[in-house]
mmCIF file of all heavy atoms in Angstrom:
data_model
loop_
_atom_site.group_PDB
_atom_site.id
_atom_site.type_symbol
_atom_site.label_atom_id
_atom_site.label_comp_id
_atom_site.label_asym_id
_atom_site.label_seq_id
_atom_site.Cartn_x
_atom_site.Cartn_y
_atom_site.Cartn_z
ATOM 1 N N GLU C 224 -25.697 93.432 -116.128
ATOM 2 C CA GLU C 224 -26.848 92.545 -115.884
ATOM 3 C C GLU C 224 -26.350 91.316 -115.142
ATOM 4 O O GLU C 224 -26.982 90.208 -115.401
ATOM 5 C CB GLU C 224 -27.696 92.158 -117.163
ATOM 6 C CG GLU C 224 -28.409 93.401 -117.716
ATOM 7 C CD GLU C 224 -28.916 93.053 -119.060
ATOM 8 O OE1 GLU C 224 -28.886 92.064 -119.636
ATOM 9 O OE2 GLU C 224 -29.561 94.158 -119.581
ATOM 10 N N LEU C 225 -25.571 91.463 -114.224
ATOM 11 C CA LEU C 225 -25.103 90.366 -113.496
ATOM 12 C C LEU C 225 -25.989 90.196 -112.178
ATOM 13 O O LEU C 225 -26.875 91.085 -111.959
ATOM 14 C CB LEU C 225 -23.652 90.533 -112.944
ATOM 15 C CG LEU C 225 -22.635 90.609 -114.104
ATOM 16 C CD1 LEU C 225 -21.322 90.919 -113.592
ATOM 17 C CD2 LEU C 225 -22.709 89.329 -114.952
ATOM 18 N N ASN C 226 -25.884 89.172 -111.488
ATOM 19 C CA ASN C 226 -26.817 88.809 -110.437
ATOM 20 C C ASN C 226 -26.094 88.531 -109.086
ATOM 21 O O ASN C 226 -26.030 87.301 -108.632
ATOM 22 C CB ASN C 226 -27.719 87.662 -110.833
ATOM 23 C CG ASN C 226 -28.890 87.468 -110.080
ATOM 24 O OD1 ASN C 226 -28.917 87.857 -108.863
ATOM 25 N ND2 ASN C 226 -29.964 86.927 -110.611
ATOM 26 N N PRO C 227 -25.537 89.422 -108.335
ATOM 27 C CA PRO C 227 -24.914 89.243 -107.163
ATOM 28 C C PRO C 227 -25.864 88.428 -106.109
ATOM 29 O O PRO C 227 -25.431 87.628 -105.441
ATOM 30 C CB PRO C 227 -24.445 90.655 -106.637
ATOM 31 C CG PRO C 227 -24.522 91.502 -107.723
ATOM 32 C CD PRO C 227 -25.562 90.969 -108.752
ATOM 33 N N THR C 228 -27.084 88.866 -106.092
ATOM 34 C CA THR C 228 -28.030 88.308 -105.217
ATOM 35 C C THR C 228 -28.115 86.693 -105.212
ATOM 36 O O THR C 228 -27.930 86.055 -104.291
ATOM 37 C CB THR C 228 -29.474 88.947 -105.199
ATOM 38 O OG1 THR C 228 -29.359 90.286 -105.294
ATOM 39 C CG2 THR C 228 -30.217 88.671 -104.116
ATOM 40 N N GLN C 229 -28.199 86.343 -106.425
ATOM 41 C CA GLN C 229 -28.361 84.835 -106.613
ATOM 42 C C GLN C 229 -27.057 84.235 -106.312
ATOM 43 O O GLN C 229 -27.042 83.188 -105.834
ATOM 44 C CB GLN C 229 -28.710 84.613 -108.104
ATOM 45 C CG GLN C 229 -29.425 83.204 -108.293
ATOM 46 C CD GLN C 229 -30.584 83.024 -107.252
ATOM 47 O OE1 GLN C 229 -31.339 83.922 -107.190
ATOM 48 N NE2 GLN C 229 -30.651 82.006 -106.705
ATOM 49 N N ALA C 230 -25.863 84.910 -106.619
ATOM 50 C CA ALA C 230 -24.605 84.340 -106.337
ATOM 51 C C ALA C 230 -24.503 84.166 -104.721
ATOM 52 O O ALA C 230 -24.008 83.259 -104.364
ATOM 53 C CB ALA C 230 -23.480 85.303 -106.875
ATOM 54 N N ILE C 231 -24.947 85.231 -104.087
ATOM 55 C CA ILE C 231 -24.947 85.228 -102.553
ATOM 56 C C ILE C 231 -25.809 84.192 -102.037
ATOM 57 O O ILE C 231 -25.443 83.353 -101.182
ATOM 58 C CB ILE C 231 -25.249 86.494 -102.107
ATOM 59 C CG1 ILE C 231 -24.228 87.632 -102.411
ATOM 60 C CG2 ILE C 231 -25.440 86.568 -100.552
ATOM 61 C CD1 ILE C 231 -24.589 88.983 -102.030
ATOM 62 N N GLU C 232 -26.946 83.910 -102.636
ATOM 63 C CA GLU C 232 -27.822 82.798 -102.165
ATOM 64 C C GLU C 232 -27.202 81.584 -102.366
ATOM 65 O O GLU C 232 -27.237 80.649 -101.482
ATOM 66 C CB GLU C 232 -29.209 82.855 -102.883
ATOM 67 C CG GLU C 232 -30.080 83.948 -102.540
ATOM 68 C CD GLU C 232 -30.645 83.780 -101.171
ATOM 69 O OE1 GLU C 232 -30.570 82.734 -100.433
ATOM 70 O OE2 GLU C 232 -31.346 84.728 -100.579
ATOM 71 N N THR C 233 -26.508 81.317 -103.610
ATOM 72 C CA THR C 233 -25.786 80.077 -103.634
ATOM 73 C C THR C 233 -24.760 79.764 -102.699
ATOM 74 O O THR C 233 -24.533 78.788 -102.244
ATOM 75 C CB THR C 233 -25.182 80.107 -105.219
ATOM 76 O OG1 THR C 233 -26.236 80.326 -106.163
ATOM 77 C CG2 THR C 233 -24.605 78.760 -105.502
ATOM 78 N N LEU C 234 -23.990 80.855 -102.442
ATOM 79 C CA LEU C 234 -22.868 80.781 -101.531
ATOM 80 C C LEU C 234 -23.547 80.482 -100.125
ATOM 81 O O LEU C 234 -22.846 79.689 -99.359
ATOM 82 C CB LEU C 234 -22.182 82.079 -101.339
ATOM 83 C CG LEU C 234 -21.196 82.276 -102.501
ATOM 84 C CD1 LEU C 234 -20.617 83.801 -102.487
ATOM 85 C CD2 LEU C 234 -20.106 81.369 -102.508
ATOM 86 N N ARG C 235 -24.650 81.031 -99.762
ATOM 87 C CA ARG C 235 -25.289 80.786 -98.460
ATOM 88 C C ARG C 235 -25.473 79.227 -98.361
ATOM 89 O O ARG C 235 -25.247 78.573 -97.205
ATOM 90 C CB ARG C 235 -26.547 81.480 -98.309
ATOM 91 C CG ARG C 235 -26.459 82.922 -98.073
ATOM 92 C CD ARG C 235 -27.514 83.508 -97.218
ATOM 93 N NE ARG C 235 -28.424 84.394 -98.123
ATOM 94 C CZ ARG C 235 -28.830 85.590 -97.654
ATOM 95 N NH1 ARG C 235 -28.389 86.104 -96.454
ATOM 96 N NH2 ARG C 235 -29.721 86.183 -98.451
ATOM 97 N N LYS C 236 -25.942 78.653 -99.429
ATOM 98 C CA LYS C 236 -26.218 77.140 -99.305
ATOM 99 C C LYS C 236 -24.916 76.382 -99.192
ATOM 100 O O LYS C 236 -24.792 75.438 -98.435
ATOM 101 C CB LYS C 236 -27.050 76.760 -100.585
ATOM 102 C CG LYS C 236 -28.426 77.375 -100.648
ATOM 103 C CD LYS C 236 -29.145 76.713 -101.930
ATOM 104 C CE LYS C 236 -30.578 77.408 -102.030
ATOM 105 N NZ LYS C 236 -30.554 78.697 -102.526
ATOM 106 N N LEU C 237 -23.884 76.868 -99.867
ATOM 107 C CA LEU C 237 -22.621 76.196 -99.975
ATOM 108 C C LEU C 237 -21.889 76.322 -98.633
ATOM 109 O O LEU C 237 -21.264 75.324 -98.123
ATOM 110 C CB LEU C 237 -21.713 76.704 -100.974
ATOM 111 C CG LEU C 237 -22.274 76.403 -102.410
ATOM 112 C CD1 LEU C 237 -21.396 76.878 -103.520
ATOM 113 C CD2 LEU C 237 -22.330 74.750 -102.659
ATOM 114 N N VAL C 238 -22.053 77.516 -97.974
ATOM 115 C CA VAL C 238 -21.485 77.709 -96.591
ATOM 116 C C VAL C 238 -21.929 76.715 -95.592
ATOM 117 O O VAL C 238 -21.288 76.172 -94.817
ATOM 118 C CB VAL C 238 -21.747 79.134 -96.166
ATOM 119 C CG1 VAL C 238 -21.352 79.267 -94.707
ATOM 120 C CG2 VAL C 238 -20.920 80.087 -96.986
ATOM 121 N N GLN C 239 -23.220 76.328 -95.860
ATOM 122 C CA GLN C 239 -23.896 75.501 -94.820
ATOM 123 C C GLN C 239 -23.453 73.988 -95.087
ATOM 124 O O GLN C 239 -23.592 73.159 -94.236
ATOM 125 C CB GLN C 239 -25.366 75.655 -94.880
ATOM 126 C CG GLN C 239 -25.881 76.965 -94.312
ATOM 127 C CD GLN C 239 -27.277 77.172 -94.391
ATOM 128 O OE1 GLN C 239 -28.113 76.548 -93.694
ATOM 129 N NE2 GLN C 239 -27.676 78.099 -95.327
ATOM 130 N N LYS C 240 -22.949 73.764 -96.268
ATOM 131 C CA LYS C 240 -22.309 72.369 -96.618
ATOM 132 C C LYS C 240 -20.939 72.478 -96.982
ATOM 133 O O LYS C 240 -20.575 71.673 -97.885
ATOM 134 C CB LYS C 240 -23.239 71.788 -97.867
ATOM 135 C CG LYS C 240 -24.724 71.815 -97.746
ATOM 136 C CD LYS C 240 -25.362 71.163 -98.931
ATOM 137 C CE LYS C 240 -25.188 71.982 -100.221
ATOM 138 N NZ LYS C 240 -26.042 71.526 -101.331
ATOM 139 N N ARG C 241 -20.256 73.239 -96.221
ATOM 140 C CA ARG C 241 -18.868 73.491 -96.647
ATOM 141 C C ARG C 241 -17.979 72.302 -96.754
ATOM 142 O O ARG C 241 -17.266 72.236 -97.724
ATOM 143 C CB ARG C 241 -18.250 74.458 -95.498
ATOM 144 C CG ARG C 241 -16.884 74.917 -95.753
ATOM 145 C CD ARG C 241 -16.519 76.019 -94.851
ATOM 146 N NE ARG C 241 -16.678 75.623 -93.400
ATOM 147 C CZ ARG C 241 -15.739 75.284 -92.748
ATOM 148 N NH1 ARG C 241 -14.486 75.145 -93.310
ATOM 149 N NH2 ARG C 241 -15.845 74.931 -91.531
ATOM 150 N N LEU C 242 -18.048 71.573 -95.715
ATOM 151 C CA LEU C 242 -17.093 70.360 -95.851
ATOM 152 C C LEU C 242 -17.401 69.359 -96.880
ATOM 153 O O LEU C 242 -16.520 68.848 -97.616
ATOM 154 C CB LEU C 242 -17.184 69.557 -94.419
ATOM 155 C CG LEU C 242 -16.778 70.358 -93.221
ATOM 156 C CD1 LEU C 242 -17.119 69.761 -91.934
ATOM 157 C CD2 LEU C 242 -15.176 70.644 -93.427
#
Side-chain angles (χ1 to χ4, degrees):
Chain C
E224 294 174 359
L225 298 175
N226 195 335
T228 312
Q229 205 51 44
I231 293 170
E232 287 290 350
T233 308
L234 284 173
R235 288 207 252 228
K236 295 182 178 77
L237 293 177
V238 166
Q239 293 176 68
K240 302 186 291 191
R241 179 167 61 94
L242 294 168

